[in-house]
Amino acid sequence: MTLKNSTVDAVSIVEIPKIKDTRGNLSVIENDVIPFDIKRVYYLYDVPSDAYRGGHAHKELYQFLIPLSGSFDVIIKDGKNIKSVTLNKPNKGLMIVPGIWRELENFSSGAVCLVLASEVYDEDDYIRDYDQFKLLKSR
Ligand code: TYD
């Protein structure tokens, strides 16, 4: 999947295996669940309900978003199509491929978004201007 050819159809909800137990559930991610080796983990928390996160695309980065607690919406755009996905189950994550604009909003109280990423942080991998994103996608 590349920056130019990816579409919102390549973004998918992935079910994370769950080991049910009366003592509480346990979900585990190994490399058969996501198609990349994890090089970075970060998380969003204490997000005000009116806050807006994201608002960018990546050139090469793959990311897997997991709503560890609470819920939030992810708006995804490929320059032509728009989709909105609500994440609200800790065993269902969103696999985002390169070349997809994403916006995160409508965080519930106490929501935590865990992000597994295929690369370490690199500001040069970001596209933060939507007009530039559309131009790159249409070329
Ligand atoms: P940003 O990517 O704008 O956050 P979001 O997409 O969730 O709105 O990042 C916010 C700040 O944090 C920005 O200054 C870059 C920094 N940052 C890092 O230093 N390392 C990271 O891994 C991430 C994701 C962000």
Side-chain angles (χ1 to χ4, degrees), residues 40 42 44 52-56 63 121 123 126 128:
R40 176 168 52 119
Y42 67 93
L44 304 170
Y52 159 99
R53 308 267 342 185
H56 61 253
Q63 284 179 310
Y121 176 71
E123 187 58 36
Y126 280 74
R128 293 193 184 270

Side-chain angles (χ1 to χ4, degrees), residues 1 3 5-6 25 59 65 71 90 113 136:
M1 200 65 58
L3 163 63
N5 73 13
S6 61
N25 296 327
K59 296 173 190 165
L65 275 53
S71 67
C113 173
L136 286 167

Side-chain angles (χ1 to χ4, degrees), residues 76-96:
I76 50 170
K77 302 178 181 177
D78 59 19
K80 286 194 180 126
N81 310 292
I82 301 180
K83 266 193 199 174
S84 174
V85 182
T86 299
L87 294 182
N88 56 12
K89 294 195 171 61
N91 70 322
K92 284 190 182 170
L94 189 68
M95 183 64 229
I96 305 182

Side-chain angles (χ1 to χ4, degrees), residues 36 42 58 61-65 94-96 102 115-117:
F36 59 82
Y42 67 93
H58 285 282
L61 189 73
Y62 285 75
Q63 284 179 310
F64 189 55
L65 275 53
L94 189 68
M95 183 64 229
I96 305 182
R102 89 289 309 276
V115 183
L116 310 181

